[in-house]
Amino acid sequence: MTDLFMGPPDERGRFGDFGGRFVPEALMSACLELDEAYRDARVDETFARSLERELSLFAGRPTPVTPLERLSRRLDLRVFAKREDLAHTGSHKINNVLGQALLAQRMGKHRVIAETGAGQHGVATATAAARLGLACTVFMGEVDTKRQELNVFRMELLGATVVPVTSGSRTLKDAVNEALREWVTCVADTHYCIGSVMGPHPFPWMVREFQSVIGREAAHQLRELGVETPDVVVACVGGGSNAAGVFAGFAEGTSRLVGVEAAGGSAVGVGSPGVLHGMRSLLIQDEFGQIEEAESISAGLDYPGIGPEHAYLAARGRAEYVTAHDDEVIAALQVLSEDEGIIPALETAHAVAWLLREAGRSIAPGSTVLLNLSGRGDKDVAQVRALIRGES
Amino acid sequence: MTSLETALRRVRASGRTALVPYVMAGVTSDWTRLVEAAVHAGADAVEIGLPFSDPIMDGVVIQEAALRSLAAGTTLDSVCAELATLDVDAPLVAMTYYNVIHHYGVERAAHAFAHSSLRGAIIPDLPPEEAAPWERACAQNDVATVYLVAPSSPPARVARLAHATQGFAYAAARMAVTGSASDLGDARRVVNALRSVSDIPVYVGIGITTPDHAREAAQFADGVIVGSALMSLVLDGAGTTRVESFVRDFRRALDSTSTP
């Protein structure tokens, strides 16, 4: 392979035709300041040491790679799970927020704001803010504050203020809008801690780099288990941060990279190029360029776009993006729970669902698969119970 | 020079402070009558909002106006078609978000604007760094690309934006979205920064909600933009008569300070 995938974007923050920095002038200086601060921090050993220290002593890294033995037998595959569900706060989100919170501190900002869908990123941001003594405000669509009531309370316990967003579709996309509107008013002392590989440059690149610890660790851990190159690496995709993080460890090799979107929120499947939230990427939009609402049982995948680097990987054919339906997802969550003793997040269950569907079809028997187990399902248990009992 | 800039420089040369009200296209079925009423009451140009589902620089009033307009089925084509029926003696300037233009196609959009009397466009999420294709399309169609300058813009960016903007420079009075502030904030500083690098007309927006604000801004700026305060009335049911008297109050306030 001659192409170098998952390197830095170009100077304008582009991955091919995707990415860029489409922000109002009021946010431009903050984006440029962040770009400079991040470029400076990423080559600073002191910063690297602080981040490594937080990741290991606070967040519990490295997370293990677990051979999923019963599932492997069921599917006639060799399935390994990268256990991001075991990271502090229960998902990969902590990797990114610790990086950004340390960076905020380094830039002299004493407050962070964040958007959240399922609440995982909000909880992670509130956690990192508490740990580092930063003030924290989280914007969450009103619909999601109801779907994920316990996560709202969790954030409040951690000292954060949660603002229910009542504009637009009242879900993740509107939470991002509201966070951007808030950021305009407070850029001087506040960092916007974006939760995925999206937004204006340098966010998509920076968040992928903070999440790439997943792929780096997993590649090393698989080698220790005797797997040089997995045949398949699969992860769920909303904005795409856990997928970007795990892909980063394997993009230069020959592994088949698969991102699984919610069938009702498939930016690659049904989207087209557009500009939203500071980036040019693939978006779900109508024939007039109005953004449409994504729909899924998992609040974390309810985003009508995808990170620009994923749009690029899709365009270049380096990664493929597929979908899973809500009913397959519930079934997959039950299989993983019963076979392996791991209750995955609904988001993560999308990746499991694809695996269950494709084993023996597009995945040849005996293949080695790395599943990025991006988050644990505790937050979804009440919703899943209702779905299984047919109550919603 | 774009025809928008020629017209607006002429307004300034006449000793008049320009008044630019904002009307969201499609907010009511008779929205073009509101535009006419505004011009009749003394507007020198009118900003025409083209609705977008995710307006990140707009506060609740313009958001609501956009939602109503979209619910009524407003599109770029429908706005251009309705504007073509309008005969007003003031330049019109579109205000929208880049995805609407990007999706329609930059060349087609610039062409459509030019054929419906839209002589400029304000696209707050399209900074000059990303605007090359749009600027080219606009140049071919005599559509002015208007840029905002923020209180946070450092001197080098002010110079760059002053150079890139056409028609006028939009000086944001505050670090805020539209409709969320009600005072002149940092307007004087932003205007002075622009003046030190350019002689293009400078208009103040974001925070102008009363004739008193307008009168104060007229002491240092070439024009004022009044958006959410007017749209708020329209959302509450104001018709042409009320819009006309609202705009006339601003006109009188500005004229009471202008030096011929």
Side-chain angles (χ1 to χ4, degrees):
Chain A
M1 195 167 298
T2 53
D3 286 312
L4 284 176
F5 287 103
M6 304 196 88
D10 72 14
E11 277 177 19
R12 297 164 64 211
R14 298 271 183 150
F15 302 94
D17 287 339
F18 300 104
R21 189 184 273 139
F22 295 85
V23 292
E25 178 56 23
L27 295 180
M28 187 54 92
S29 298
C31 288
L32 294 171
E33 177 195 10
L34 177 64
D35 195 10
E36 198 183 316
Y38 175 60
R39 282 174 197 280
D40 187 59
R42 71 195 299 269
V43 295
D44 176 4
E45 281 179 24
T46 314
F47 182 80
R49 270 199 301 276
S50 318
L51 180 54
E52 274 165 30
R53 186 172 184 279
E54 291 303 313
L55 288 174
S56 64
L57 301 185
F58 179 63
R61 300 206 73 87
T63 58
V65 164
T66 305
L68 301 183
E69 286 162 6
R70 295 186 65 210
L71 186 73
S72 293
R73 275 199 296 280
R74 175 198 282 265
L75 300 177
D76 192 14
L77 298 171
R78 291 175 69 205
V79 184
F80 298 87
K82 178 60 174 165
R83 300 293 305 282
E84 294 302 296
D85 60 316
L86 295 179
H88 184 38
T89 71
S91 81
H92 69 290
K93 294 291 187 188
I94 195 76
N95 306 329
N96 167 42
V97 297
L98 284 171
Q100 289 200 49
L102 284 170
L103 196 57
Q105 220 173 27
R106 187 183 167 96
M107 289 189 290
K109 310 220 167 180
H110 59 75
R111 176 173 174 249
V112 288
I113 56 173
E115 82 293 340
T116 196
Q120 293 298 86
H121 176 58
V123 168
T125 307
T127 299
R131 167 82 180 161
L132 298 180
L134 303 168
C136 177
T137 303
V138 179
F139 294 87
M140 188 169 185
E142 194 186 39
V143 170
D144 293 333
T145 61
K146 289 178 182 144
R147 286 201 281 197
Q148 298 288 347
E149 215 176 343
L150 275 178
N151 268 344
V152 174
F153 185 61
R154 232 169 242 140
M155 288 182 260
E156 288 168 352
L157 274 179
L158 291 161
T161 304
V162 179
V163 179
V165 173
T166 56
S167 59
S169 62
R170 304 176 187 212
T171 59
L172 180 53
K173 137 184 117 68
D174 306 283
V176 177
N177 290 342
E178 216 50 47
L180 286 167
R181 290 177 186 125
E182 168 75 9
W183 201 28
V184 168
T185 69
C186 57
V187 282
D189 67 359
T190 299
H191 173 67
Y192 178 15
C193 185
I194 289 187
S196 193
V197 286
M198 45 162 284
H201 179 60
F203 284 104
W205 171 47
M206 179 178 73
V207 175
R208 180 253 282 169
E209 287 290 280
F210 285 142
Q211 292 293 2
S212 66
V213 65
I214 303 172
R216 274 198 310 277
E217 282 179 8
H220 176 73
Q221 291 162 316
L222 282 175
R223 275 195 294 274
E224 297 211 317
L225 290 163
V227 178
E228 207 48 49
T229 305
D231 298 309
V232 178
V233 177
V234 61
C236 65
V237 175
S241 70
N242 89 80
V246 73
F247 288 178
F250 301 92
E252 288 311 306
T254 54
S255 302
R256 176 183 178 196
L257 307 180
V258 181
V260 188
E261 296 186 281
S266 170
V268 177
V270 304
S272 55
V275 173
L276 179 71
H277 297 153
M279 63 183 175
R280 183 176 191 277
S281 192
L282 294 171
L283 308 175
I284 303 176
Q285 52 189 329
D286 70 12
E287 59 180 304
F288 306 108
Q290 307 296 342
I291 307 305
E292 298 196 307
E293 291 163 25
E295 272 180 32
S296 147
I297 46 171
S298 90
L301 301 186
D302 267 4
Y303 186 67
I306 188 168
E309 189 169 24
H310 287 297
Y312 175 66
L313 292 173
R316 294 297 306 275
R318 179 60 192 97
E320 61 194 281
Y321 297 84
V322 297
T323 60
H325 288 278
D326 289 354
D327 49 356
E328 299 177 281
V329 169
I330 296 289
L333 181 141
Q334 291 175 281
V335 167
L336 195 70
S337 301
E338 289 172 19
D339 271 16
E340 296 292 344
I342 300 169
I343 302 174
L346 277 171
E347 291 78 11
T348 311
H350 284 70
V352 181
W354 177 80
L355 203 54
L356 296 182
R357 193 207 308 152
E358 292 301 318
R361 296 169 69 182
S362 73
I363 313 170
S367 299
T368 309
V369 177
L370 176 66
L371 163 72
N372 196 30
L373 224 151
S374 56
R376 67 179 183 221
D378 304 38
K379 69 183 172 59
D380 299 317
V381 166
Q383 188 191 351
V384 170
R385 179 178 61 182
L387 287 163
I388 290 173
R389 291 180 179 172
E391 289 165 7
S392 72
Chain B
M1 186 177 290
T2 57
S3 63
L4 177 68
E5 192 163 326
T6 305
L8 298 181
R9 281 179 181 269
R10 198 175 297 136
V11 172
R12 178 167 68 182
S14 74
R16 186 175 158 103
T17 303
L19 174 57
V20 186
Y22 171 104
V23 175
M24 172 64 76
V27 65
T28 59
S29 56
D30 67 343
W31 68 274
T32 53
R33 301 286 89 80
L34 304 180
V35 176
E36 285 169 349
V39 174
H40 191 241
D44 297 287
V46 182
E47 233 186 270
I48 305 292
L50 303 183
F52 178 52
S53 53
D54 295 81
I56 58 164
M57 266 308 284
D58 286 305
V60 288
V61 171
I62 308 280
Q63 286 175 42
E64 174 62 23
L67 283 179
R68 284 198 200 177
S69 175
L70 287 172
T74 305
T75 66
L76 194 152
D77 278 332
S78 77
V79 173
C80 287
E82 288 188 78
L83 286 178
T85 69
L86 196 62
D87 183 22
V88 292
D89 187 24
L92 306 178
V93 179
M95 149 81 201
T96 189
Y97 289 83
Y98 189 46
N99 201 48
V100 174
I101 305 280
H102 179 276
H103 197 78
Y104 194 86
V106 290
E107 278 154 25
R108 274 184 76 210
H111 191 258
F113 283 7
H115 285 77
S116 48
S117 317
L118 287 165
R119 290 158 69 184
I122 306 164
I123 308 175
D125 62 345
L126 185 66
E129 287 85 346
E130 303 283 1
W134 173 239
E135 287 182 346
R136 271 196 302 276
C138 286
Q140 282 160 15
N141 288 282
D142 187 28
V143 174
T145 53
V146 181
Y147 288 103
L148 278 97
V149 178
S152 61
S153 305
R157 275 199 73 77
V158 173
R160 172 166 194 176
L161 293 162
H163 181 71
T165 198
Q166 298 173 331
F168 64 96
Y170 190 134
R174 287 216 154 258
M175 294 297 286
V177 296
T178 60
S180 59
S182 180
D183 61 58
L184 290 179
D186 297 314
R188 188 186 289 268
R189 181 170 63 76
V190 179
V191 171
N192 288 342
L194 278 159
R195 292 254 193 261
S196 70
V197 291
S198 171
D199 76 336
I200 197 159
V202 180
Y203 296 1
V204 171
I206 306 188
I208 307 272
T209 60
T210 68
D212 281 344
H213 295 145
R215 189 180 293 117
E216 194 186 333
Q219 288 166 11
F220 55 88
D222 301 311
V224 296
I225 298 160
V226 187
S228 295
L230 176 56
M231 279 302 95
S232 178
L233 283 183
V234 172
L235 291 178
D236 287 343
T240 50
T241 314
R242 183 77 189 87
V243 166
E244 201 170 317
S245 74
F246 176 91
V247 174
R248 184 158 287 131
D249 287 345
F250 277 81
R251 181 76 264 161
R252 288 202 183 103
L254 291 174
D255 290 346
S256 72
T257 60
S258 294
T259 46

